[in-house]
Amino acid sequence: MTQDEAGILPLESATPARLAPALPASSAEKANMIIHYYRGEIGRMTSWRDRIDRTTNWSMTVVAGLLSVSLSTPSSHHGVVLFAMLLVSVFLLIEARRYRFFDVYRARVRQLERHYFSQALCPQAELKADWAEAIAASLRRPVFLMAYREALFRRIRRNYIWMYLILLLAWALKISSPKLQQNEAPAEFVSSLSQIVQNAHLGPLYGGVVLALVGAFYAALLFTILYRKPKDGEIAHGEVHV
């Protein structure tokens, strides 16, 4: 006996087909959709901005805590400051990754602000006719708009270079001031370069090697500050950017 003869409906007909939500038909419905979409993108952008601020706050806490440990007593090793540089670098790598996500949502928000809301408030010549197409393409296939290296460079220029400079000054003070060494010499500063090299010893690493490594690291930081990529995208418009 078949299902039809037994009065049993086929399995496919037991579950009604689900239809996609209707698209906005009028200009009022489309405006209402854009407003709600804008609020959603603002929420996601704010969430990622909060994550960026957290890593910056963690870095500042590490700098303040480890500097107080390193400079408070002569028995503290200068390697504590180098360890702080390492931890800050880890937070920087995490923040650069978060910044790339933040940049995706910020770009969408800025597209709506520049091409829709600003035109609604004060109409001017059309800035970009296909601005909605760029947002639709990003929604269909989200991709990062900024390379990881560029995000890293921007976070260094914006925030982290100042923390690195503070750590460099503290480290230079630590290895150049006899009062901050365990022998507690009465002199204010070392009298020769050899003393600085000796104070810069880090375990099995010779002090000259440590100085060279720190110098190379800060030379790389200097390159990130001087490096400037031609501005494009939403970052090229205005100065209020993270």
Side-chain angles (χ1 to χ4, degrees):
M1 182 180 296
T2 64
Q3 291 181 343
D4 293 338
E5 294 175 351
I8 302 175
L9 294 176
L11 181 62
E12 290 77 4
S13 62
T15 303
R18 295 183 179 179
L19 300 178
L23 296 177
S26 63
S27 58
E29 291 179 354
K30 185 171 294 186
N32 188 48
M33 179 207 68
I34 291 178
I35 292 173
H36 286 289
Y37 168 70
Y38 175 74
R39 292 176 61 185
E41 291 291 353
I42 283 287
R44 287 201 287 187
M45 185 185 72
T46 304
S47 175
W48 281 102
R49 173 60 190 272
D50 180 65
R51 295 183 182 184
I52 293 174
D53 291 340
R54 288 181 188 178
T55 48
T56 303
N57 293 338
W58 294 342
S59 300
M60 295 175 63
T61 303
V62 166
V63 170
L66 293 185
L67 283 186
S68 63
V69 172
S70 176
L71 302 179
S72 61
T73 173
S75 61
S76 179
H77 197 270
H78 73 91
V80 174
V81 182
L82 298 179
F83 181 63
M85 294 180 185
L86 178 61
L87 286 181
V88 170
S89 299
V90 172
F91 289 134
L92 171 62
L93 296 176
I94 296 173
E95 184 165 321
R97 176 184 175 275
R98 293 178 174 181
Y99 186 78
R100 297 182 73 196
F101 283 94
F102 166 78
D103 182 64
V104 173
Y105 305 120
R106 176 185 59 185
R108 295 176 184 174
V109 168
R110 288 293 297 128
Q111 289 277 0
L112 287 169
E113 291 176 346
R114 290 186 62 240
H115 299 287
Y116 185 80
F117 291 105
S118 63
Q119 290 292 91
L121 293 173
C122 183
Q124 295 180 357
E126 182 63 35
L127 299 176
K128 188 177 180 182
D130 58 344
W131 64 270
E133 182 180 349
I135 297 179
S138 178
L139 291 174
R140 290 189 177 98
R141 187 175 182 271
V143 294
F144 290 118
L145 306 177
M146 180 179 294
Y148 186 83
R149 186 185 70 168
E150 181 64 22
L152 195 70
F153 286 6
R154 282 188 61 84
R155 299 320 298 157
I156 292 175
R157 288 195 298 266
R158 290 287 183 173
N159 290 339
Y160 281 78
I161 187 58
W162 306 111
M163 287 181 271
Y164 280 123
L165 286 178
I166 292 174
L167 290 173
L168 177 62
L169 293 176
W171 184 69
L173 178 64
K174 183 69 176 179
I175 64 176
S176 64
S177 177
K179 289 186 176 181
L180 295 177
Q181 303 299 320
Q182 292 186 4
N183 54 15
E184 298 184 2
E188 292 290 339
F189 296 100
V190 295
S191 57
S192 64
L193 181 61
S194 61
Q195 287 182 289
I196 294 180
V197 175
Q198 182 179 359
N199 293 338
H201 286 341
L202 184 63
L205 290 180
Y206 178 64
V209 176
V210 176
L211 290 171
L213 291 176
V214 174
F217 177 73
Y218 277 87
L221 290 178
L222 180 61
F223 171 76
T224 64
I225 298 174
L226 300 178
Y227 173 82
R228 286 292 187 273
K229 181 181 179 181
K231 292 182 178 180
D232 55 358
E234 290 304 317
I235 296 180
H237 303 280
E239 300 178 353
V240 186
H241 295 289
V242 180

